[in-house]
Amino acid sequence: MFAMTTSDESAKTARKRSERTCAGCGKHTAADELVRVVHDPSSGDVAVDLAGSGFGRGAHFHPTPDCVAKSLKGGLARVFKSKVVADAKAIGDEIVKAADRRIEGLLTGARRAGQLAVGSDVVVEALREERAELVMVARDAAAAAKLAEVEKAIASGKALAFADKQRLGSLMARDEVAVVAILHPGVAAAIAQTYRMSGPFRSALGGAAPTVARVTGDGGSPLEVAGTQDVRSEEAWSSSEVR
């Protein structure tokens, strides 16, 4: 009989610690695949904590409307052992808002670290040189989405639609920006992961159609990310099947 070594025990413990139980369906899933919420026992309110660093006791559920609805039927109350005051739509909206805040913070940090290509010409160059890990196109930037290299990124699943030109511009300290490319693999994976968590709730918003971005995380496994596009730029995306 083989004895379990200390390293084996540590690995097993790490795996257990990295998994959480969905308060909706009850399935065990890796923590970074679940949405975390924290509870205010005095009011019963819950707050979305996508970064997983919020203070207080947390509960988790899969980023799907079904699991959110099920968790509100008693799952969260059982985890927190207290009354929970929330509704599914409000939580879905907060997940999208929290994801946008986190993505904007990651983009700002990447810009300061020089890990972004900003603007059509620079993004095209980064794509040609295979330095771009992920491309983000403003939802109202139909012309940028039609660039040959950007269309290839869309077709290969390395692009997502986010914000509009004015908002992207403000994040890049410019007036307007149509497209940016993330050059750092870790930042690209973090943005993709965050966007994927909010994807099912974005698709429930009016005027949105799903797209998917696919990037490789630190572990080498692909992350499939549900995104959205504005109806004004739908034609620019329709010619390619985005995986």
Side-chain angles (χ1 to χ4, degrees), residues 169-217:
S170 68
L171 294 172
M172 300 299 112
R174 301 185 184 184
D175 291 334
E176 289 189 348
V177 169
V179 59
V180 300
I182 294 87
L183 309 180
H184 191 282
V187 175
I191 289 175
Q193 175 77 352
T194 302
Y195 207 84
R196 183 178 62 81
M197 301 287 275
S198 62
F201 306 97
R202 293 178 189 274
S203 63
L205 301 176
T211 64
V212 173
R214 185 181 181 89
V215 299
T216 300

mmCIF file of all heavy atoms in Angstrom, residues 169-217:
data_model
loop_
_atom_site.group_PDB
_atom_site.id
_atom_site.type_symbol
_atom_site.label_atom_id
_atom_site.label_comp_id
_atom_site.label_asym_id
_atom_site.label_seq_id
_atom_site.Cartn_x
_atom_site.Cartn_y
_atom_site.Cartn_z
ATOM 1 N N GLY A 169 -12.153 55.419 -24.816
ATOM 2 C CA GLY A 169 -11.243 56.557 -24.897
ATOM 3 C C GLY A 169 -10.918 57.127 -23.535
ATOM 4 O O GLY A 169 -9.756 57.441 -23.236
ATOM 5 N N SER A 170 -11.915 57.254 -22.678
ATOM 6 C CA SER A 170 -11.667 57.806 -21.347
ATOM 7 C C SER A 170 -10.738 56.903 -20.540
ATOM 8 O O SER A 170 -9.896 57.384 -19.770
ATOM 9 C CB SER A 170 -12.987 58.008 -20.601
ATOM 10 O OG SER A 170 -13.600 56.773 -20.287
ATOM 11 N N LEU A 171 -10.858 55.590 -20.723
ATOM 12 C CA LEU A 171 -9.976 54.656 -20.019
ATOM 13 C C LEU A 171 -8.547 54.738 -20.534
ATOM 14 O O LEU A 171 -7.594 54.459 -19.801
ATOM 15 C CB LEU A 171 -10.497 53.225 -20.176
ATOM 16 C CG LEU A 171 -11.842 52.911 -19.514
ATOM 17 C CD1 LEU A 171 -12.314 51.519 -19.915
ATOM 18 C CD2 LEU A 171 -11.743 53.022 -18.002
ATOM 19 N N MET A 172 -8.406 55.120 -21.804
ATOM 20 C CA MET A 172 -7.085 55.229 -22.411
ATOM 21 C C MET A 172 -6.544 56.658 -22.372
ATOM 22 O O MET A 172 -5.533 56.965 -22.996
ATOM 23 C CB MET A 172 -7.138 54.763 -23.874
ATOM 24 C CG MET A 172 -7.596 53.320 -24.068
ATOM 25 S SD MET A 172 -6.501 52.119 -23.268
ATOM 26 C CE MET A 172 -7.589 51.502 -21.968
ATOM 27 N N ALA A 173 -7.236 57.553 -21.650
ATOM 28 C CA ALA A 173 -6.850 58.965 -21.550
ATOM 29 C C ALA A 173 -6.854 59.640 -22.918
ATOM 30 O O ALA A 173 -5.994 60.462 -23.229
ATOM 31 C CB ALA A 173 -5.479 59.103 -20.886
ATOM 32 N N ARG A 174 -7.851 59.288 -23.734
ATOM 33 C CA ARG A 174 -8.022 59.888 -25.052
ATOM 34 C C ARG A 174 -9.493 60.263 -25.232
ATOM 35 O O ARG A 174 -10.339 59.922 -24.408
ATOM 36 C CB ARG A 174 -7.594 58.920 -26.157
ATOM 37 C CG ARG A 174 -6.141 58.472 -26.056
ATOM 38 C CD ARG A 174 -5.754 57.626 -27.252
ATOM 39 N NE ARG A 174 -4.403 57.096 -27.139
ATOM 40 C CZ ARG A 174 -3.793 56.393 -28.088
ATOM 41 N NH1 ARG A 174 -4.421 56.134 -29.232
ATOM 42 N NH2 ARG A 174 -2.565 55.950 -27.910
ATOM 43 N N ASP A 175 -9.784 60.958 -26.330
ATOM 44 C CA ASP A 175 -11.174 61.339 -26.582
ATOM 45 C C ASP A 175 -12.019 60.119 -26.931
ATOM 46 O O ASP A 175 -13.042 59.858 -26.305
ATOM 47 C CB ASP A 175 -11.247 62.369 -27.715
ATOM 48 C CG ASP A 175 -10.666 63.713 -27.300
ATOM 49 O OD1 ASP A 175 -10.669 64.004 -26.089
ATOM 50 O OD2 ASP A 175 -10.205 64.453 -28.182
ATOM 51 N N GLU A 176 -11.601 59.378 -27.953
ATOM 52 C CA GLU A 176 -12.309 58.173 -28.368
ATOM 53 C C GLU A 176 -11.306 57.113 -28.798
ATOM 54 O O GLU A 176 -10.264 57.434 -29.375
ATOM 55 C CB GLU A 176 -13.268 58.455 -29.536
ATOM 56 C CG GLU A 176 -14.491 59.263 -29.167
ATOM 57 C CD GLU A 176 -15.496 59.327 -30.308
ATOM 58 O OE1 GLU A 176 -15.141 58.945 -31.449
ATOM 59 O OE2 GLU A 176 -16.641 59.754 -30.067
ATOM 60 N N VAL A 177 -11.631 55.856 -28.517
ATOM 61 C CA VAL A 177 -10.812 54.724 -28.953
ATOM 62 C C VAL A 177 -11.760 53.642 -29.451
ATOM 63 O O VAL A 177 -12.719 53.273 -28.763
ATOM 64 C CB VAL A 177 -9.935 54.177 -27.804
ATOM 65 C CG1 VAL A 177 -9.296 52.846 -28.203
ATOM 66 C CG2 VAL A 177 -8.861 55.185 -27.431
ATOM 67 N N ALA A 178 -11.485 53.128 -30.648
ATOM 68 C CA ALA A 178 -12.355 52.121 -31.250
ATOM 69 C C ALA A 178 -11.955 50.701 -30.878
ATOM 70 O O ALA A 178 -12.809 49.816 -30.763
ATOM 71 C CB ALA A 178 -12.355 52.270 -32.770
ATOM 72 N N VAL A 179 -10.655 50.468 -30.696
ATOM 73 C CA VAL A 179 -10.193 49.099 -30.466
ATOM 74 C C VAL A 179 -8.891 49.116 -29.683
ATOM 75 O O VAL A 179 -8.054 50.007 -29.861
ATOM 76 C CB VAL A 179 -10.011 48.356 -31.819
ATOM 77 C CG1 VAL A 179 -9.016 49.068 -32.715
ATOM 78 C CG2 VAL A 179 -9.623 46.904 -31.616
ATOM 79 N N VAL A 180 -8.743 48.143 -28.797
ATOM 80 C CA VAL A 180 -7.493 47.959 -28.058
ATOM 81 C C VAL A 180 -7.142 46.476 -28.074
ATOM 82 O O VAL A 180 -8.020 45.618 -28.221
ATOM 83 C CB VAL A 180 -7.587 48.451 -26.591
ATOM 84 C CG1 VAL A 180 -7.929 49.924 -26.535
ATOM 85 C CG2 VAL A 180 -8.597 47.634 -25.809
ATOM 86 N N ALA A 181 -5.861 46.193 -27.917
ATOM 87 C CA ALA A 181 -5.401 44.811 -27.809
ATOM 88 C C ALA A 181 -4.636 44.659 -26.507
ATOM 89 O O ALA A 181 -3.803 45.507 -26.164
ATOM 90 C CB ALA A 181 -4.508 44.436 -28.988
ATOM 91 N N ILE A 182 -4.927 43.599 -25.779
ATOM 92 C CA ILE A 182 -4.210 43.306 -24.540
ATOM 93 C C ILE A 182 -3.029 42.422 -24.888
ATOM 94 O O ILE A 182 -3.182 41.376 -25.532
ATOM 95 C CB ILE A 182 -5.128 42.613 -23.511
ATOM 96 C CG1 ILE A 182 -6.245 43.563 -23.064
ATOM 97 C CG2 ILE A 182 -4.328 42.175 -22.298
ATOM 98 C CD1 ILE A 182 -7.467 43.546 -23.919
ATOM 99 N N LEU A 183 -1.838 42.826 -24.447
ATOM 100 C CA LEU A 183 -0.614 42.117 -24.798
ATOM 101 C C LEU A 183 -0.164 41.143 -23.715
ATOM 102 O O LEU A 183 0.603 40.222 -23.999
ATOM 103 C CB LEU A 183 0.510 43.131 -25.069
ATOM 104 C CG LEU A 183 0.180 44.258 -26.062
ATOM 105 C CD1 LEU A 183 1.390 45.176 -26.232
ATOM 106 C CD2 LEU A 183 -0.258 43.692 -27.410
ATOM 107 N N HIS A 184 -0.619 41.337 -22.504
ATOM 108 C CA HIS A 184 -0.187 40.497 -21.383
ATOM 109 C C HIS A 184 -1.128 39.305 -21.225
ATOM 110 O O HIS A 184 -2.343 39.487 -21.056
ATOM 111 C CB HIS A 184 -0.167 41.322 -20.097
ATOM 112 C CG HIS A 184 0.494 40.641 -18.948
ATOM 113 N ND1 HIS A 184 -0.132 39.654 -18.212
ATOM 114 C CD2 HIS A 184 1.735 40.790 -18.412
ATOM 115 C CE1 HIS A 184 0.680 39.234 -17.267
ATOM 116 N NE2 HIS A 184 1.819 39.896 -17.362
ATOM 117 N N PRO A 185 -0.614 38.067 -21.251
ATOM 118 C CA PRO A 185 -1.483 36.887 -21.169
ATOM 119 C C PRO A 185 -2.326 36.841 -19.899
ATOM 120 O O PRO A 185 -3.509 36.486 -19.946
ATOM 121 C CB PRO A 185 -0.497 35.712 -21.217
ATOM 122 C CG PRO A 185 0.727 36.253 -21.866
ATOM 123 C CD PRO A 185 0.808 37.690 -21.450
ATOM 124 N N GLY A 186 -1.722 37.186 -18.763
ATOM 125 C CA GLY A 186 -2.455 37.128 -17.505
ATOM 126 C C GLY A 186 -3.598 38.124 -17.448
ATOM 127 O O GLY A 186 -4.690 37.812 -16.965
ATOM 128 N N VAL A 187 -3.350 39.344 -17.940
ATOM 129 C CA VAL A 187 -4.401 40.362 -17.956
ATOM 130 C C VAL A 187 -5.514 39.947 -18.910
ATOM 131 O O VAL A 187 -6.703 40.083 -18.601
ATOM 132 C CB VAL A 187 -3.823 41.734 -18.359
ATOM 133 C CG1 VAL A 187 -4.944 42.760 -18.500
ATOM 134 C CG2 VAL A 187 -2.806 42.203 -17.330
ATOM 135 N N ALA A 188 -5.133 39.427 -20.077
ATOM 136 C CA ALA A 188 -6.135 38.971 -21.046
ATOM 137 C C ALA A 188 -7.004 37.866 -20.452
ATOM 138 O O ALA A 188 -8.230 37.864 -20.606
ATOM 139 C CB ALA A 188 -5.449 38.478 -22.317
ATOM 140 N N ALA A 189 -6.378 36.925 -19.758
ATOM 141 C CA ALA A 189 -7.131 35.831 -19.147
ATOM 142 C C ALA A 189 -8.066 36.345 -18.060
ATOM 143 O O ALA A 189 -9.200 35.876 -17.932
ATOM 144 C CB ALA A 189 -6.173 34.791 -18.574
ATOM 145 N N ALA A 190 -7.603 37.324 -17.262
ATOM 146 C CA ALA A 190 -8.437 37.877 -16.194
ATOM 147 C C ALA A 190 -9.643 38.616 -16.769
ATOM 148 O O ALA A 190 -10.761 38.499 -16.256
ATOM 149 C CB ALA A 190 -7.608 38.810 -15.320
ATOM 150 N N ILE A 191 -9.422 39.385 -17.839
ATOM 151 C CA ILE A 191 -10.533 40.090 -18.475
ATOM 152 C C ILE A 191 -11.521 39.090 -19.066
ATOM 153 O O ILE A 191 -12.739 39.222 -18.915
ATOM 154 C CB ILE A 191 -10.008 41.051 -19.563
ATOM 155 C CG1 ILE A 191 -9.295 42.233 -18.907
ATOM 156 C CG2 ILE A 191 -11.152 41.543 -20.453
ATOM 157 C CD1 ILE A 191 -8.634 43.174 -19.888
ATOM 158 N N ALA A 192 -10.995 38.075 -19.738
ATOM 159 C CA ALA A 192 -11.858 37.066 -20.341
ATOM 160 C C ALA A 192 -12.685 36.335 -19.291
ATOM 161 O O ALA A 192 -13.885 36.119 -19.457
ATOM 162 C CB ALA A 192 -11.012 36.068 -21.135
ATOM 163 N N GLN A 193 -12.041 35.969 -18.196
ATOM 164 C CA GLN A 193 -12.732 35.267 -17.120
ATOM 165 C C GLN A 193 -13.839 36.136 -16.529
ATOM 166 O O GLN A 193 -14.967 35.681 -16.309
ATOM 167 C CB GLN A 193 -11.728 34.878 -16.028
ATOM 168 C CG GLN A 193 -12.340 34.248 -14.789
ATOM 169 C CD GLN A 193 -12.719 32.797 -14.996
ATOM 170 O OE1 GLN A 193 -12.658 32.289 -16.106
ATOM 171 N NE2 GLN A 193 -13.111 32.137 -13.927
ATOM 172 N N THR A 194 -13.529 37.394 -16.289
ATOM 173 C CA THR A 194 -14.513 38.311 -15.716
ATOM 174 C C THR A 194 -15.681 38.518 -16.661
ATOM 175 O O THR A 194 -16.846 38.525 -16.248
ATOM 176 C CB THR A 194 -13.847 39.662 -15.396
ATOM 177 O OG1 THR A 194 -12.762 39.446 -14.487
ATOM 178 C CG2 THR A 194 -14.834 40.627 -14.768
ATOM 179 N N TYR A 195 -15.373 38.677 -17.944
ATOM 180 C CA TYR A 195 -16.430 38.900 -18.925
ATOM 181 C C TYR A 195 -17.313 37.667 -19.071
ATOM 182 O O TYR A 195 -18.532 37.768 -19.220
ATOM 183 C CB TYR A 195 -15.816 39.266 -20.276
ATOM 184 C CG TYR A 195 -16.735 40.111 -21.125
ATOM 185 C CD1 TYR A 195 -16.791 41.489 -20.950
ATOM 186 C CD2 TYR A 195 -17.554 39.538 -22.082
ATOM 187 C CE1 TYR A 195 -17.630 42.268 -21.717
ATOM 188 C CE2 TYR A 195 -18.397 40.316 -22.850
ATOM 189 C CZ TYR A 195 -18.433 41.679 -22.668
ATOM 190 O OH TYR A 195 -19.281 42.441 -23.422
ATOM 191 N N ARG A 196 -16.697 36.495 -19.014
ATOM 192 C CA ARG A 196 -17.466 35.259 -19.123
ATOM 193 C C ARG A 196 -18.473 35.133 -17.988
ATOM 194 O O ARG A 196 -19.598 34.661 -18.178
ATOM 195 C CB ARG A 196 -16.531 34.047 -19.122
ATOM 196 C CG ARG A 196 -17.251 32.715 -19.296
ATOM 197 C CD ARG A 196 -16.262 31.560 -19.327
ATOM 198 N NE ARG A 196 -15.532 31.465 -18.083
ATOM 199 C CZ ARG A 196 -16.017 30.888 -16.981
ATOM 200 N NH1 ARG A 196 -17.224 30.383 -16.976
ATOM 201 N NH2 ARG A 196 -15.286 30.823 -15.884
ATOM 202 N N MET A 197 -18.068 35.554 -16.787
ATOM 203 C CA MET A 197 -18.962 35.458 -15.640
ATOM 204 C C MET A 197 -20.225 36.294 -15.835
ATOM 205 O O MET A 197 -21.299 35.942 -15.357
ATOM 206 C CB MET A 197 -18.234 35.938 -14.383
ATOM 207 C CG MET A 197 -16.983 35.162 -14.051
ATOM 208 S SD MET A 197 -17.299 33.520 -13.396
ATOM 209 C CE MET A 197 -17.526 33.913 -11.683
ATOM 210 N N SER A 198 -20.089 37.404 -16.541
ATOM 211 C CA SER A 198 -21.233 38.304 -16.701
ATOM 212 C C SER A 198 -21.990 38.070 -18.001
ATOM 213 O O SER A 198 -23.062 38.641 -18.204
ATOM 214 C CB SER A 198 -20.755 39.763 -16.656
ATOM 215 O OG SER A 198 -19.866 40.037 -17.730
ATOM 216 N N GLY A 199 -21.462 37.227 -18.879
ATOM 217 C CA GLY A 199 -22.049 37.035 -20.195
ATOM 218 C C GLY A 199 -23.522 36.661 -20.203
ATOM 219 O O GLY A 199 -24.315 37.274 -20.924
ATOM 220 N N PRO A 200 -23.950 35.661 -19.416
ATOM 221 C CA PRO A 200 -25.365 35.276 -19.441
ATOM 222 C C PRO A 200 -26.302 36.401 -19.028
ATOM 223 O O PRO A 200 -27.455 36.437 -19.454
ATOM 224 C CB PRO A 200 -25.423 34.117 -18.438
ATOM 225 C CG PRO A 200 -24.041 33.558 -18.422
ATOM 226 C CD PRO A 200 -23.149 34.751 -18.578
ATOM 227 N N PHE A 201 -25.810 37.322 -18.206
ATOM 228 C CA PHE A 201 -26.657 38.417 -17.740
ATOM 229 C C PHE A 201 -26.629 39.584 -18.721
ATOM 230 O O PHE A 201 -27.592 40.329 -18.834
ATOM 231 C CB PHE A 201 -26.206 38.853 -16.347
ATOM 232 C CG PHE A 201 -26.170 37.711 -15.383
ATOM 233 C CD1 PHE A 201 -24.978 37.046 -15.124
ATOM 234 C CD2 PHE A 201 -27.327 37.252 -14.780
ATOM 235 C CE1 PHE A 201 -24.939 35.958 -14.262
ATOM 236 C CE2 PHE A 201 -27.302 36.167 -13.913
ATOM 237 C CZ PHE A 201 -26.104 35.515 -13.660
ATOM 238 N N ARG A 202 -25.528 39.729 -19.457
ATOM 239 C CA ARG A 202 -25.477 40.738 -20.514
ATOM 240 C C ARG A 202 -26.447 40.386 -21.635
ATOM 241 O O ARG A 202 -27.093 41.257 -22.204
ATOM 242 C CB ARG A 202 -24.060 40.844 -21.092
ATOM 243 C CG ARG A 202 -23.033 41.396 -20.142
ATOM 244 C CD ARG A 202 -21.659 41.409 -20.781
ATOM 245 N NE ARG A 202 -20.639 41.735 -19.817
ATOM 246 C CZ ARG A 202 -20.274 42.970 -19.499
ATOM 247 N NH1 ARG A 202 -20.852 43.992 -20.086
ATOM 248 N NH2 ARG A 202 -19.334 43.187 -18.605
ATOM 249 N N SER A 203 -26.541 39.106 -21.973
ATOM 250 C CA SER A 203 -27.398 38.689 -23.072
ATOM 251 C C SER A 203 -28.868 38.908 -22.763
ATOM 252 O O SER A 203 -29.705 38.878 -23.657
ATOM 253 C CB SER A 203 -27.156 37.216 -23.408
ATOM 254 O OG SER A 203 -27.493 36.391 -22.310
ATOM 255 N N ALA A 204 -29.183 39.123 -21.487
ATOM 256 C CA ALA A 204 -30.571 39.390 -21.106
ATOM 257 C C ALA A 204 -30.927 40.862 -21.264
ATOM 258 O O ALA A 204 -32.090 41.234 -21.160
ATOM 259 C CB ALA A 204 -30.808 38.965 -19.656
ATOM 260 N N LEU A 205 -29.917 41.710 -21.535
ATOM 261 C CA LEU A 205 -30.170 43.135 -21.692
ATOM 262 C C LEU A 205 -30.685 43.421 -23.093
ATOM 263 O O LEU A 205 -30.355 42.736 -24.047
ATOM 264 C CB LEU A 205 -28.876 43.931 -21.446
ATOM 265 C CG LEU A 205 -28.239 43.752 -20.067
ATOM 266 C CD1 LEU A 205 -26.931 44.517 -20.004
ATOM 267 C CD2 LEU A 205 -29.179 44.212 -18.970
ATOM 268 N N GLY A 206 -31.459 44.459 -23.235
ATOM 269 C CA GLY A 206 -32.033 44.788 -24.532
ATOM 270 C C GLY A 206 -30.979 45.184 -25.551
ATOM 271 O O GLY A 206 -30.003 45.846 -25.235
ATOM 272 N N GLY A 207 -31.191 44.786 -26.817
ATOM 273 C CA GLY A 207 -30.321 45.196 -27.913
ATOM 274 C C GLY A 207 -28.985 44.523 -27.939
ATOM 275 O O GLY A 207 -28.049 45.026 -28.532
ATOM 276 N N ALA A 208 -28.828 43.385 -27.281
ATOM 277 C CA ALA A 208 -27.528 42.727 -27.238
ATOM 278 C C ALA A 208 -27.603 41.354 -27.869
ATOM 279 O O ALA A 208 -28.586 40.649 -27.752
ATOM 280 C CB ALA A 208 -27.043 42.602 -25.798
ATOM 281 N N ALA A 209 -26.539 40.983 -28.552
ATOM 282 C CA ALA A 209 -26.439 39.654 -29.143
ATOM 283 C C ALA A 209 -25.125 39.044 -28.706
ATOM 284 O O ALA A 209 -24.128 39.736 -28.582
ATOM 285 C CB ALA A 209 -26.494 39.751 -30.667
ATOM 286 N N PRO A 210 -25.075 37.742 -28.414
ATOM 287 C CA PRO A 210 -23.873 37.151 -27.844
ATOM 288 C C PRO A 210 -22.750 36.962 -28.844
ATOM 289 O O PRO A 210 -22.963 36.634 -29.999
ATOM 290 C CB PRO A 210 -24.364 35.794 -27.327
ATOM 291 C CG PRO A 210 -25.511 35.465 -28.206
ATOM 292 C CD PRO A 210 -26.161 36.775 -28.540
ATOM 293 N N THR A 211 -21.541 37.200 -28.383
ATOM 294 C CA THR A 211 -20.332 36.808 -29.100
ATOM 295 C C THR A 211 -19.472 36.059 -28.102
ATOM 296 O O THR A 211 -19.777 36.003 -26.928
ATOM 297 C CB THR A 211 -19.555 38.021 -29.647
ATOM 298 O OG1 THR A 211 -19.098 38.810 -28.549
ATOM 299 C CG2 THR A 211 -20.424 38.866 -30.548
ATOM 300 N N VAL A 212 -18.380 35.501 -28.556
ATOM 301 C CA VAL A 212 -17.533 34.727 -27.659
ATOM 302 C C VAL A 212 -16.080 35.065 -27.902
ATOM 303 O O VAL A 212 -15.643 35.188 -29.033
ATOM 304 C CB VAL A 212 -17.747 33.208 -27.871
ATOM 305 C CG1 VAL A 212 -16.738 32.410 -27.070
ATOM 306 C CG2 VAL A 212 -19.148 32.807 -27.459
ATOM 307 N N ALA A 213 -15.335 35.234 -26.830
ATOM 308 C CA ALA A 213 -13.894 35.403 -26.932
ATOM 309 C C ALA A 213 -13.230 34.178 -26.333
ATOM 310 O O ALA A 213 -13.729 33.598 -25.382
ATOM 311 C CB ALA A 213 -13.447 36.656 -26.187
ATOM 312 N N ARG A 214 -12.119 33.783 -26.874
ATOM 313 C CA ARG A 214 -11.427 32.584 -26.398
ATOM 314 C C ARG A 214 -9.948 32.916 -26.238
ATOM 315 O O ARG A 214 -9.267 33.246 -27.199
ATOM 316 C CB ARG A 214 -11.619 31.452 -27.408
ATOM 317 C CG ARG A 214 -11.059 30.100 -26.989
ATOM 318 C CD ARG A 214 -11.331 29.112 -28.117
ATOM 319 N NE ARG A 214 -10.864 27.783 -27.818
ATOM 320 C CZ ARG A 214 -11.585 26.861 -27.202
ATOM 321 N NH1 ARG A 214 -12.798 27.140 -26.809
ATOM 322 N NH2 ARG A 214 -11.097 25.663 -26.979
ATOM 323 N N VAL A 215 -9.462 32.849 -25.014
ATOM 324 C CA VAL A 215 -8.046 33.082 -24.764
ATOM 325 C C VAL A 215 -7.530 31.968 -23.879
ATOM 326 O O VAL A 215 -8.292 31.210 -23.295
ATOM 327 C CB VAL A 215 -7.789 34.451 -24.078
ATOM 328 C CG1 VAL A 215 -8.275 35.576 -24.948
ATOM 329 C CG2 VAL A 215 -8.434 34.504 -22.714
ATOM 330 N N THR A 216 -6.227 31.871 -23.771
ATOM 331 C CA THR A 216 -5.622 30.825 -22.965
ATOM 332 C C THR A 216 -5.195 31.381 -21.627
ATOM 333 O O THR A 216 -4.518 32.401 -21.556
ATOM 334 C CB THR A 216 -4.395 30.233 -23.679
ATOM 335 O OG1 THR A 216 -4.830 29.693 -24.920
ATOM 336 C CG2 THR A 216 -3.773 29.136 -22.845
ATOM 337 N N GLY A 217 -5.620 30.726 -20.551
ATOM 338 C CA GLY A 217 -5.254 31.156 -19.213
ATOM 339 C C GLY A 217 -3.885 30.648 -18.821
ATOM 340 O O GLY A 217 -3.187 29.999 -19.589
#
